[in-house]
Each structure stands twice: as structure tokens, then as C-alpha cells.
Amino acid sequence: MLPQQVTPLSSGAPGNVTTVTKHSPHIRYPQLNTNTTLLIISLQVKHSSRAVQIPVTSPPVSSLRYYAGSCLSPVKMSAVSKGGGSRGFYFNTVLSLARSLAAQRQPPPDKVQKLLCMCPVDYHGSFQLDQRRRDAVIALGIFLVESELQHKEIVVPYLLRLLKGLPRVQWIEDTGGRKASRDTLPVAENFSFCLVTLLSDTAQRDATLRVQILETVLAVMKSLLAMCQLPETQDKEYLCKYTVPCLIGISRAFGRYSNTEEPLLSQLFPKASQQSMKVTDEMEGVRRRSFNDFRSILPSSLLTVYQSDSLKRKTSSISSISQASPDRGTPLPSSPGGSVTAINYFEGSYLPDGNTLDPDYYFSTVSSSFSVSPLYMGFSNKEYDIPLDLLRQLLQMVKQVVMDSNLKALDQMVAEVLQVNPVAELYYKTFSEAVHVAMFKMLRDTLYYMKDLHNSFAKEVHEFVLEEFSRSQAEVQKILHDVDRPQSDMSPVKLRCQANAACVDLMVWAVKDEQGAENLCIKLSEKLQSKTSSKVIVAHMPLLICCLQGLGRLCERFPVVASSVTTTLRDFLVVPSPVLVKLYKYHSQYHTGTGEIKISVTNEHSESTLSVLSSRKSQTSMYEQLRDIAIDNICRCLKAGLTIDTEIVQAFLASLSNRLYISQENDKEAHLIPDHTIRALGHIAVALRDSPKVMESILQILQQKFCQPPSQLDVLIIDQLGCMVITGNQYIYQEVWNLFQQISVKASNVVYSATKDPKDHGYRHCSLAVINALANIAANIQGDHLVDELLVNLLELFVQLGLEGKRASERASEKGPALKASSSAGNLGVLIPVIAVLTRRLPPIKEARPRLQKLFRDFWLYSVVMGFAVEGSGLWPEEWYEGVCEIATKSPLLTFPSGEPLRSELQYNSALKNDTVTQAELIELRSTITNLLDPPPEAGAYINKLDFAMSTYLLSVYRLEYMRVLRSTDQDRFQVMFRYFEDKAIQKDKSGMIQCVIAVADKVFDVFLAVMADKAKTKEHEAELERHAQFLLVNFNHIHKKIRRVADKYLSGLVDK
């Protein structure tokens, strides 16, 4: 039982003006109890020099102990009235109380009663809802769903009583003297949306309560509808301001269930966390160390195909958005102008799945809901048992609501209210479109979870929806041809198109036989090929998307239609459709550089950073979204068709590849045909990678088109080849790697050639695209074997480009002015971020095979000679230095496990030989080493006698180990220096290399001490110091005298520090 005494009759927050709405005749206003005291509280109103006395009715003193805050604490606008993101002090307080109770295994009943006591109470047949009571109900709901329905026997009956009381609620809006914001939906709509969302979460979690909840919600909707149908007996302004918005709010929430473990209510009011602050700091770090900024080659729809751990955008990243998407993982859809306002043209189901929008979206966008379109999610694993009788009642109610006469009556009622009271604060100036779309979305989302329903019911739904779809299409045409309507006022068209999209979903759901599927395919195909007015093309996007997805879904259910549907989708894509052409024109106006490669935007951190780092122009445009959805559904149709026709894919590839060679010079958009064709080929290769001969056939088609003739299409081909490699096919990997290697080497030869032949394009136009594709492959390729092979291949290419630069300089010196070998360093440098992306995914390489060991030694040799390992040199981009640092943390030691003599190993097995430098350059190199190490006299004398190979080796060891200690988190990062001391080749070297390496270790040890000193003094820190001290104590007893001395010196330094 709810304590009756703790129900203060006052409303709002002190300092705000409390506005009690004009009441309906059937509402009884509560009278003040004689035991209630009237407190007169003097409050200093902000920005005012005078005190204002505001009467606040007080509860009994006994209840003030825990309720005073709710009566007297100043708060901002309520979270429920303004949206989930705007939280006042009071709302945060009760929400924190609710979540702390929910976290307890067995929350005390008295604590839950306190939460209940803050909620409104039925007083003589009606509830009184002000801001704080609405907030308390939300907090109570959060407790219920997040505590796994604890105390449901008390809370659920109360919530159902509150729901039944919605038609008679006395709404109190605390506007603070301001007019209601047009950015926020009506208070009644938002609250009813939240309340029914809460009850839907409860019904999802408890099957025993499901029927009771659904029956109650349906009964309340019928009650609200009955009130709207008899406006003569009601206060019409009350109906327009509260009753109809309540009906809309309930319909936006009815039948929606969460696809994840997180309840929908918790997504509307997410937990405040430090995550956003941490992500911001991390973003800054990533931008400063941007060695891994690359353009993603993976279409967003392909990201769900790859089981990747890097460039893949994970569901928790893009801002907490929920339910389903046609273009999964993309940033929010942008309008033709790139404006973020286009989000209002897409319902919730057209946003990235598995995430949740900023909750304000659901509190400010007409017809927004947690919709789950079956066309995007495929078959649901969840099924809810709802009695057929309830579904029939729902269908009959929807039929009743969307009757033309009923919708016109609602619009007429609004017009009458505004005529009588022009200053009435009504959010909706007309109801018909908002009610129409809300009803059809509710019907779609409810029936989505239903399976094996009686055919007669499905047929009834199909006939009703088909009739409404045709009527609604005619209504859209009528609005478009209304010459008196300003072109800027297209809101009714947007809402009608969303309703039509829901109708398409319902028609696809309701089809039960192949003949019906074929008929529906024809209707959807006609819609796709029809011309759409430019002024409403954006409004039609949800409908176009549903038509495309509907065709794909029909093929999956009835593979017999796959052949005709793939032909339709192919023509839509590569004829191309008038809609695509128009959207492309918008896209090309606002997205400059369509043929350029921009090495930016994406990195392998993107599970948490991609959406934050991307700019507005990098967002997926509507043209790109529609194009990719068409391609995705071609793949769905081909997969389905394979079940009955094994040749369908090869036949489709033959017809599609022909479009690459059809010349349409007179057509301005002719370049879209090969562009779309190549994208489709790449996507099909990935989606059907497990089907025999598909990838090989597509590889052959792309190879034949590549550079025939050279064009910007080659960049696109390289992107598709990169996507194909990521699938992990060994044959594709080898073929594409050979091509990429050839492009990189030839491009470098042309760039640094002394005599340039203008006819020799040398793949220069696509060399950067190869680097970008390699980075994507490095970030996404799976399988230890392929990852290891790619690492070896990248290092081999790095060394090969260095040798090619050396040869180019030799040829240049023979034919003309000398060209220094370091002039070709740019070719090597662009590979460093790629190698860094790959090594970041690897654990530190402790034991490397001889081949890999030598390649890393050559890598460090070139890095120190070309200056890549020098911080702030100004010669090269800073991200190259950051890349080298990343590689250093995983690089193997530059030791000689083979035991070969050091001098001969460096002289004969090194990429750069002694004869490649002059005596002056060698002296300069020795001087650099001396300045860096500041060695003792004995070591300094040895350094001044080292040849070029030995000098570069010593400098390589210094750069590598210095970076490792500075950047690595590996516990052995300093101890590895002793591995150099123990290396036989270094110990036996007669040029004193052991002394030189000890001088390097001294510097590295100084850096190590500085790093340890900067760490926080924690138990983990103390344990790490102990481990290092134990290691040095062990080496203090080493069999080699020099190692004992070094260990002694470092142990003393560690203790002193």
C-alpha cells in the first residue's frame, strides 16, 4: 500500500511559475486538507533584486524528512519534459536513489516505499502530474527494470493504475514563465511514451505480466480514442494539448522491445559516466599521434561481415544508439547539404544498430520510436506470445484511427481551438499525419515479433495495408500538387513517406506465397524506378530504403523471385535510377574531391573514435547510403538464389561486368555506371566469399579493368581488392599483394627517376590508394598465418623500396646531377604508418625467425639513416616518427642469434654497405652518436673507429631501445638490454662493440629511471621496482665480469633514485 499522507498537493519547483492548465469538466480538483499547513517561503528569484513570496503546500512534518528535497530544492527543467539529456538536481537525485536500490541484491522494502511515495497518487479518480512527480515515476521505472523486476508485485499494479488514469490526468506544466519550446514534444506525449516504454520492458522480462500489460495499454488507447471521437462532451483544448498527444506517445512505445540486455527505458535515461571525458582525452591523444589516420575502404554494410577487431566500428561506439540500421555502423545520415538536420527524416530504425541515440531525439522528434524493421534485422530470435484476439483488437483500432473521416475530424478540432484561442500553446497544428505514421509503425513493430500467425489474419493485414499504402501514395501526390502550399512546408510528405515505409514492411511481412511475393516485387520495383520530385527526394528516403530492403527480404523468403529481383536491383544501380542520379548531384555539390584520396578520418582505434573524429563531410550521404543498400540487397538476393540455381552468380557477374565497357559519352552521369559496377563486384566478392569461384571470377574482372586505361576508377578497384584480401583467402592475398608490390615499386621508380617519360604513368595516380588499402588490410586481416606473412611482406617492401632508391641515385649520378639515396626516403616513410598499424595488433616479438630478424634490422638501419627515428626533425611528418615509436614497442632485439661474427654479418648481410657514404658523412654519423651517448673515454675511442655499418647498427640499437623504454608497457622493456650484453657476436667483437652497447644501456637506464619516477606510487609500482631489483641482483652474480659491473651500477642507481 502507498502511504496516503505523503502526497503534497503542490506542484513545481520554487522560483518557477506553476501553470495549471485549463481543466476539463470531468476533472475534480483536490481540496486542501485541514491538516495541511501552508508554508510561505521567501525565495530570491535569480536575476531579480526583490524577494517573491511563493505559496507551497506542505506535507505533514513526518514526511518532510525525505521529501523536503522534492518540494524545496530548485531544479532545472524536468528530464521528461525536456528530454533525457537535460537533468535537473531533483531528477538526478531520485534517479541515483533508484539506481542504487536497483544495484542491491535485495533492496529494503521501506526504501522502495520512499521512492513510491514521491510518485503521484490517485486522488478522487484522477492523478496530478507535475514535473517532480513525472520524474519520480521515471525513477521508479528505472528501479524496476534495472533491478530485474524486484518488488514487481507492488510497483507494476501501481504503474498500471497510473496508466489507466492517463485519460483523466491533471497535467501541471512548469514552464518557468517561458513558452513551450518547439524543440520538445508535448509533455503528455513524452510522459506516456516513457510510461509505456517502461511497461513494454516489463512485459518483455516477465511473460506472466505480458497479457495484462498489453490489455491495459490497449484499453487506455481505446479510451483516449473514444474521448477524441466525442469532442463535444470534452474540453477541446485539453484534447488537443494532452489527450491526442497521449495517444501518439503510447502508440510510439507500444510493441517495442529491446534487442539487447539493456532495457529501452535505461537507453532513454542512460547512466552518467566518466566515459565521455575519457574518450575526449583519448581523442586528443589520437589526433596528436595520428600515425594511423587512413581512409576506410570498408563499406559500412561490409563492417558486419568482417569479424575484425580494429577498423570495425563496434556497437558501443557511435554514441549509444539503439535498434536497427540499413547501413550499419555509419555516422548519422546527412542531408544532400550535409546537414545533420536530415536525421529528422529517418526514424529510429534507420540509425546504427546496437546503439542508442542521444535521448533528446526521442523527446523532440515527431514519430520517433525504438522501431525495429524486420527488413534490417532478418529473423528475430525473440518471439512473444500475444493472443491473436489482442492482435485483432489492435488491428481494428488502427483501422478505426486512420479512417479518413477520423483524421479530418482531429485536424478540424485543432483548427477550431486555434480559431477560438489563437495564442493556445499547441505543439501540433494538425494531427492527421503524426497519428497516421504512429499507428502504422506501431502495427509493424508489434507484428514483427509474431510468427506462425493464422493466414487469415495475415491476409487481412495485407489487404488493409495495401489499400492504405495506395491511398497514402495518392495523398502524397495531392500534397505535392497543392500549388497553395509553400515548398518549404513538406513535413506532411515526410511523415506520410515514413508511414508508407512501415506499410512496405508490413506487406513484406504479410506475404505468405510465391505469387504474392512476385506481385509485391513488381509493385516495389515500380516505386524504385519512378521519378521523384527533387523537392521531396529526401522525404522519400525511408520509403526507398524499405523498398530495396523489402526486395532483398522477399528473395530470402522466396528464392524463386531472386532472378527477377537481381535484374531490377542491377538496373536501379547501373542504369542508374533517376533517384540515384538526383541524389548524386546533391552529393557532388557538397562533397568535394570525389576522386581524391584523403589519408584521414579512419584509424584502428575507431571502435571508440571514428564517429568523433569524422567531420561533417565524411558522413555518409544519402546517395552513398542508398547506393550501398542497393548493393547489399543484390548480395542478399544472390545468396538466396544460390539455393535453387548454382549458376545465378556467374550469370549476374557476366551481365554486370559488361557495364564496365559500355560507352555513354553523352550522359553526364555515365561515370556512375563503372563506379557502381566496381563497388558491387567488390561487395559481392566479400559477401559470397564462401561460394566457389566467385572471388576468383571477380578478381579476374577487376584485374582486366585495372589501368585500362588509367583513371580514378583504379583507386576504387584497389579499394575493392583490399576488401577482398581482408576476407582471408590465401590465393586472393597473394595475387593482390603481387599487384600492390608492383604498383609501389614502379611508382617509386617514376617519382625518383632522373629522366621522366611523360607517357609512363607509373601507377602514380593510385600509389597512395595502395598504401591506404595496405593500412586497412593491416588493421583488419585475421589469422596468425596471414598476419605474420603480411608483416614479412611489408618489411620486404620497405627494404626493397630503399634499395630501389639507392639504385635510382646510382643511375642518376651516372647520367646527370647526383641524387642522394635519402631523396627516396618519402617512398619508405609512407609505409611506416602501415607497419605500425599491424604491429600495434601484435604482442612484443620476443623470438623472431632469422628472416624476420634480418628484416627488422634493415628496417631500423633505414630508419636511422633516413632520419625517421628523430623526433621533431622537421624533415618528415610527425606521424612517421610516432609510427616508428609504435614499431619499437613490438620490435625484436637487434641481436645475432646465429652467432656469426658481428662485422661480417653487418658488412655482407646489410641493406646499406660501407661504400655508400663518404668519409665526411661517416665522421658526421660518429659525431651524432657521441653527442647522443656522451660515452666514457674508452667507449668514445671505440665509437670514433667504427665503420659505417657498425655505426649505423649502434645508432639503431640506441634509437630502438630508447623508444622501447619510453613507450612500451612491457615489463621487460629495460631488462632486454642485458640480452645485448650476453650476445656472443657482440661480446666477441674486436672493435669494442660491447663497450659501445653498455654506453647505450647507460642512456636507456637514465630514461627508464625517469619513467619510473613519474609513475604514481602504488602497490603495483612497488612490485615492479622489486622485480627489476631482483633481476639486477641475479645479474650481479653473472659469470661475465662486465655484466656484473653493469648490474651493480644499475642496482645502485635504482636504489638511489
Side-chain angles (χ1 to χ4, degrees):
M1 288 290 295
L2 297 176
Q4 293 294 323
Q5 71 272 20
V6 279
T7 54
L9 302 175
S10 82
S11 63
N16 286 346
V17 176
T18 299
T19 306
V20 180
T21 63
K22 188 176 180 180
H23 63 280
S24 164
H26 63 266
I27 294 179
R28 293 184 58 195
Y29 284 84
Q31 301 297 317
L32 286 180
N33 191 305
T34 53
N35 294 327
T36 305
T37 326
L38 190 65
L39 300 181
I40 304 299
I41 305 171
S42 293
L43 299 173
Q44 192 72 26
V45 179
K46 193 175 182 181
H47 303 307
S48 174
S49 57
R50 59 193 179 89
V52 181
Q53 289 191 334
I54 300 180
V56 179
T57 359
S58 126
V61 176
S62 61
S63 66
L64 283 176
R65 180 163 44 89
Y66 53 84
Y67 194 70
S70 106
C71 291
L72 307 178
S73 301
V75 297
K76 299 177 183 177
M77 185 174 283
S78 160
V80 179
S81 61
K82 172 113 172 49
S86 305
R87 297 180 175 180
F89 171 77
Y90 177 75
F91 182 72
N92 279 330
T93 303
V94 291
L95 200 61
S96 297
L97 171 61
R99 287 202 155 110
S100 63
L101 289 175
Q104 299 179 37
R105 186 171 299 175
Q106 291 182 334
D110 60 322
K111 299 287 186 183
V112 179
Q113 285 289 353
K114 286 184 179 181
L115 199 55
L116 275 161
C117 289
M118 299 177 192
C119 298
V121 173
D122 183 358
Y123 189 89
H124 295 302
S126 71
F127 288 88
Q128 189 182 56
L129 285 177
D130 61 7
Q131 279 186 9
R132 294 189 171 185
R133 289 187 175 97
R134 295 192 295 268
D135 289 350
V137 172
I138 299 304
L140 181 65
I142 289 290
F143 161 75
L144 181 66
V145 296
E146 293 189 3
S147 67
E148 298 299 330
L149 306 188
Q150 294 195 68
H151 296 283
K152 63 182 179 181
E153 66 282 355
I154 299 175
V155 177
V156 174
Y158 167 73
L159 292 173
L160 291 177
R161 287 200 304 275
L162 178 59
L163 177 66
K164 291 175 184 176
L166 278 185
R168 302 178 303 280
V169 161
Q170 177 191 350
W171 297 94
I172 299 176
E173 297 188 50
D174 304 292
T175 60
R178 300 181 302 275
K179 284 191 174 183
S181 170
R182 294 296 300 169
D183 296 331
T184 306
L185 293 172
V187 167
E189 180 176 344
N190 280 339
F191 179 77
S192 58
F193 173 69
C194 292
L195 180 59
V196 177
T197 297
L198 159 61
L199 289 169
S200 296
D201 283 332
T202 306
Q204 180 182 15
R205 283 158 175 73
D206 191 337
T208 62
L209 294 170
R210 187 174 302 144
V211 173
Q212 181 187 3
I213 288 173
L214 294 177
E215 286 178 342
T216 306
V217 175
L218 201 55
V220 171
M221 292 177 73
K222 289 179 180 179
S223 175
L224 292 169
L225 178 60
M227 291 173 63
C228 296
Q229 290 176 330
L230 296 172
E232 298 80 10
T233 62
Q234 312 288 333
D235 182 337
K236 290 185 179 180
E237 185 172 339
Y238 183 91
L239 291 178
C240 293
K241 200 168 185 180
Y242 301 111
T243 305
V244 180
C246 251
L247 180 63
I248 295 173
I250 293 174
S251 61
R252 286 170 50 211
F254 182 84
R256 275 67 170 203
Y257 304 102
S258 177
N259 285 326
T260 65
E261 294 301 317
E262 185 180 19
L264 294 181
L265 190 69
S266 299
Q267 296 177 31
L268 282 175
F269 302 95
K271 296 178 182 178
S273 68
Q274 301 299 321
Q275 189 66 24
S276 57
M277 190 69 70
K278 292 179 181 177
V279 169
T280 302
D281 294 340
E282 187 178 340
M283 296 310 95
E284 283 303 309
V286 170
R287 293 250 48 96
R288 288 195 299 269
R289 297 184 289 110
S290 56
F291 67 83
N292 48 4
D293 285 355
F294 292 98
R295 171 181 58 85
S296 174
I297 63 173
L298 304 182
S300 45
S301 48
L302 279 186
L303 288 169
T304 55
V305 174
Y306 297 115
Q307 298 302 311
S308 164
D309 60 355
S310 301
L311 281 177
K312 182 178 179 182
R313 302 169 213 182
K314 292 188 178 176
T315 55
S316 60
S317 63
I318 308 180
S319 86
S320 292
I321 305 183
S322 163
Q323 312 302 61
S325 145
D327 199 14
R328 298 171 184 167
T330 57
L332 304 181
S334 62
S335 71
S339 168
V340 294
T341 57
I343 187 173
N344 294 320
Y345 307 149
F346 292 79
E347 58 176 307
S349 64
Y350 301 109
L351 298 169
D353 63 333
N355 301 285
T356 214
L357 273 174
D358 177 353
D360 281 346
Y361 172 78
Y362 296 102
F363 294 105
S364 59
T365 306
V366 176
S367 84
S368 58
S369 61
F370 287 101
S371 294
V372 180
S373 171
L375 306 179
Y376 304 139
M377 300 299 292
F379 292 103
S380 171
N381 293 325
K382 299 179 180 178
E383 184 174 355
Y384 299 98
D385 182 23
I386 299 179
L388 182 60
D389 179 57
L390 266 180
L391 295 177
R392 290 191 185 279
Q393 289 183 47
L394 178 68
L395 179 60
Q396 293 307 314
M397 191 198 71
V398 170
K399 286 182 178 181
Q400 195 176 358
V401 171
V402 300
M403 285 176 57
D404 198 44
S405 57
N406 189 57
L407 294 177
K408 286 181 178 178
L410 289 176
D411 287 345
Q412 179 64 29
M413 182 172 63
V414 180
E416 290 176 4
V417 169
L418 290 174
Q419 187 176 6
V420 173
N421 182 13
V423 296
E425 294 182 3
L426 300 183
Y427 183 89
Y428 293 101
K429 306 306 179 187
T430 61
F431 280 124
S432 54
E433 284 80 14
V435 171
H436 186 262
V437 68
M439 289 295 136
F440 279 102
K441 284 187 183 180
M442 174 181 65
L443 188 61
R444 176 195 64 189
D445 293 336
T446 304
L447 295 180
Y448 166 55
Y449 295 100
M450 303 297 104
K451 298 175 184 176
D452 302 323
L453 287 175
H454 200 278
N455 281 348
S456 62
F457 178 71
K459 184 178 180 182
E460 183 182 358
V461 171
H462 187 273
E463 290 174 352
F464 164 63
V465 171
L466 181 60
E467 181 183 347
E468 284 298 317
F469 179 75
S470 301
R471 190 169 66 83
S472 189
Q473 285 288 87
E475 187 70 25
V476 169
Q477 293 303 318
K478 181 180 175 182
I479 295 173
L480 293 179
H481 290 95
D482 185 356
V483 293
D484 297 329
R485 183 185 293 273
Q487 287 195 13
S488 59
D489 184 18
M490 286 293 118
S491 295
V493 176
K494 299 167 192 170
L495 294 175
R496 282 281 174 176
C497 286
Q498 287 186 24
N500 291 349
C503 287
V504 170
D505 289 350
L506 281 165
M507 287 189 288
V508 172
W509 171 86
V511 167
K512 297 298 180 184
D513 56 55
E514 292 179 355
Q515 184 58 49
E518 289 180 357
N519 294 338
L520 184 54
C521 284
I522 293 171
K523 182 174 285 290
L524 298 183
S525 300
E526 289 173 354
K527 179 60 188 172
L528 286 174
Q529 293 299 339
S530 63
K531 292 187 177 180
T532 304
S533 170
S534 297
K535 65 181 180 180
V536 292
I537 198 165
V538 171
H540 273 76
M541 276 293 288
L543 178 56
L544 293 170
I545 290 171
C546 273
C547 289
L548 289 171
Q549 294 285 87
L551 289 172
R553 183 75 180 92
L554 285 171
C555 284
E556 290 174 341
R557 293 181 60 198
F558 306 99
V560 70
V561 301
S563 180
S564 59
V565 170
T566 50
T567 302
T568 297
L569 292 176
R570 183 200 64 199
D571 292 344
F572 176 82
L573 194 65
V574 299
V575 167
S577 160
V579 173
L580 271 182
V581 172
K582 286 179 182 177
L583 285 174
Y584 175 75
K585 289 178 180 177
Y586 285 125
H587 169 82
S588 58
Q589 289 174 17
Y590 294 97
H591 293 70
T592 58
T594 52
E596 299 174 7
I597 293 298
K598 299 178 180 179
I599 308 292
S600 61
V601 177
T602 309
N603 55 63
E604 97 282 3
H605 261 323
S606 47
E607 56 267 32
S608 60
T609 70
L610 183 67
S611 62
V612 182
L613 301 181
S614 58
S615 64
R616 188 171 71 175
K617 286 189 177 180
S618 70
Q619 292 180 352
T620 305
S621 70
M622 292 185 179
Y623 155 72
E624 293 169 324
Q625 191 180 38
L626 204 61
R627 176 198 68 201
D628 290 345
I629 290 170
I631 294 173
D632 185 46
N633 281 286
I634 287 174
C635 297
R636 294 172 70 184
C637 294
L638 291 175
K639 272 187 179 179
L642 276 173
T643 60
I644 59 172
D645 180 5
T646 55
E647 298 301 321
I648 188 172
V649 177
Q650 294 300 329
F652 182 81
L653 292 179
S655 66
L656 186 63
S657 59
N658 288 338
R659 306 293 298 177
L660 288 173
Y661 302 100
I662 294 178
S663 174
Q664 297 181 359
E665 296 179 359
N666 296 330
D667 190 349
K668 292 181 181 178
E669 276 71 42
H671 65 282
L672 290 180
I673 297 172
D675 181 286
H676 292 176
T677 302
I678 291 169
R679 290 180 191 276
L681 288 169
H683 198 134
I684 292 168
V686 173
L688 277 68
R689 61 193 182 281
D690 296 326
S691 302
K693 297 183 180 179
V694 172
M695 293 194 80
E696 291 79 358
S697 301
I698 292 175
L699 175 63
Q700 186 178 5
I701 295 170
L702 295 179
Q703 285 176 325
Q704 288 173 351
K705 182 61 180 174
F706 183 69
C707 280
Q708 298 296 328
S711 69
Q712 280 301 319
L713 284 176
D714 298 329
V715 171
L716 189 56
I717 291 174
I718 287 171
D719 287 355
Q720 306 314 307
L721 293 174
C723 290
M724 292 166 66
V725 169
I726 293 171
T727 62
N729 184 302
Q730 180 68 49
Y731 171 76
I732 299 294
Y733 172 88
Q734 199 55 56
E735 287 290 312
V736 173
W737 173 261
N738 292 339
L739 176 62
F740 284 3
Q741 186 180 35
Q742 180 185 357
I743 293 170
S744 300
V745 173
K746 283 196 174 183
S748 69
N749 287 341
V750 171
V751 169
Y752 295 108
S753 173
T755 56
K756 300 186 187 294
D757 184 354
K759 294 181 181 179
D760 185 7
H761 57 83
Y763 300 120
R764 279 179 295 171
H765 65 295
C766 57
S767 58
L768 280 180
V770 168
I771 299 299
N772 188 75
L774 287 174
N776 279 264
I777 294 169
N780 289 280
I781 197 165
Q782 300 299 306
D784 293 342
H785 170 67
L786 283 177
V787 169
D788 293 344
E789 187 174 350
L790 180 61
L791 179 59
V792 170
N793 288 153
L794 287 173
L795 290 171
E796 285 176 342
L797 180 59
F798 185 89
V799 175
Q800 185 179 0
L801 291 177
L803 293 173
E804 290 294 332
K806 176 175 175 290
R807 294 187 189 114
S809 67
E810 291 172 352
R811 289 194 298 269
S813 62
E814 293 171 3
K815 297 180 181 180
L819 181 73
K820 290 184 67 175
S822 60
S823 301
S824 62
N827 276 332
L828 282 71
V830 292
L831 279 175
I832 290 175
V834 178
I835 300 171
V837 168
L838 184 60
T839 54
R840 170 165 282 187
R841 300 175 56 196
L842 300 174
I845 302 172
K846 304 287 188 180
E847 301 293 337
R849 297 188 304 275
R851 175 67 179 152
L852 187 61
Q853 183 91 24
K854 182 188 179 305
L855 286 171
F856 265 107
R857 198 159 58 231
D858 287 341
F859 169 83
W860 284 103
L861 173 68
Y862 277 113
S863 293
V864 297
V865 169
M866 303 300 187
F868 301 140
V870 180
E871 184 176 12
S873 66
L875 291 173
W876 312 116
E878 192 62 26
E879 54 263 32
W880 292 4
Y881 171 77
E882 293 293 340
V884 172
C885 290
E886 181 66 37
I887 296 166
T889 62
K890 308 297 175 65
S891 178
L893 302 178
L894 303 184
T895 52
F896 302 89
S898 64
E900 293 291 326
L902 181 65
R903 184 176 296 275
S904 61
E905 183 76 15
L906 292 176
Q907 178 62 35
Y908 301 113
N909 291 325
S910 221
L912 291 176
K913 305 295 189 295
N914 288 330
D915 56 3
T916 57
V917 294
T918 64
Q919 185 64 27
E921 289 172 327
L922 179 57
I923 293 173
E924 182 182 350
L925 179 60
R926 291 169 179 166
S927 175
T928 300
I929 296 172
T930 302
N931 292 335
L932 287 172
L933 300 183
D934 190 19
E938 182 184 3
Y942 285 127
I943 290 172
N944 287 327
K945 294 178 182 177
L946 296 177
D947 59 20
F948 175 72
M950 302 282 273
S951 298
T952 51
Y953 170 74
L954 182 62
L955 187 55
S956 298
V957 172
Y958 169 75
R959 296 291 188 193
L960 166 59
E961 301 308 332
Y962 180 91
M963 291 176 179
R964 194 197 305 273
V965 166
L966 207 57
R967 299 295 185 96
S968 176
T969 56
D970 188 27
Q971 293 183 352
D972 300 337
R973 59 188 180 279
F974 168 69
Q975 297 175 11
V976 295
M977 287 306 305
F978 282 78
R979 299 267 299 277
Y980 287 97
F981 305 156
E982 295 168 350
D983 187 81
K984 299 295 183 184
I986 294 176
Q987 286 181 355
K988 293 178 180 179
D989 180 64
K990 296 180 180 179
S991 57
M993 182 56 72
I994 183 68
Q995 294 297 130
C996 300
V997 171
I998 290 174
V1000 168
D1002 290 344
K1003 281 293 178 183
V1004 171
F1005 182 67
D1006 291 340
V1007 176
F1008 168 73
L1009 290 179
V1011 169
M1012 295 302 291
D1014 289 339
K1015 284 190 173 184
K1017 303 299 185 286
T1018 62
K1019 290 183 178 179
E1020 292 76 11
H1021 178 65
E1022 293 297 324
E1024 185 178 357
L1025 287 175
E1026 285 181 16
R1027 283 194 301 271
H1028 291 302
Q1030 290 171 0
F1031 174 80
L1032 293 174
L1033 281 170
V1034 170
N1035 280 277
F1036 181 66
N1037 296 286
H1038 203 280
I1039 58 173
H1040 291 287
K1041 185 177 180 181
K1042 289 181 179 178
I1043 297 178
R1044 290 201 299 271
R1045 288 180 177 176
V1046 171
D1048 182 24
K1049 180 170 61 174
Y1050 293 164
L1051 186 58
S1052 300
L1054 188 65
V1055 172
D1056 293 341
K1057 192 71 175 180

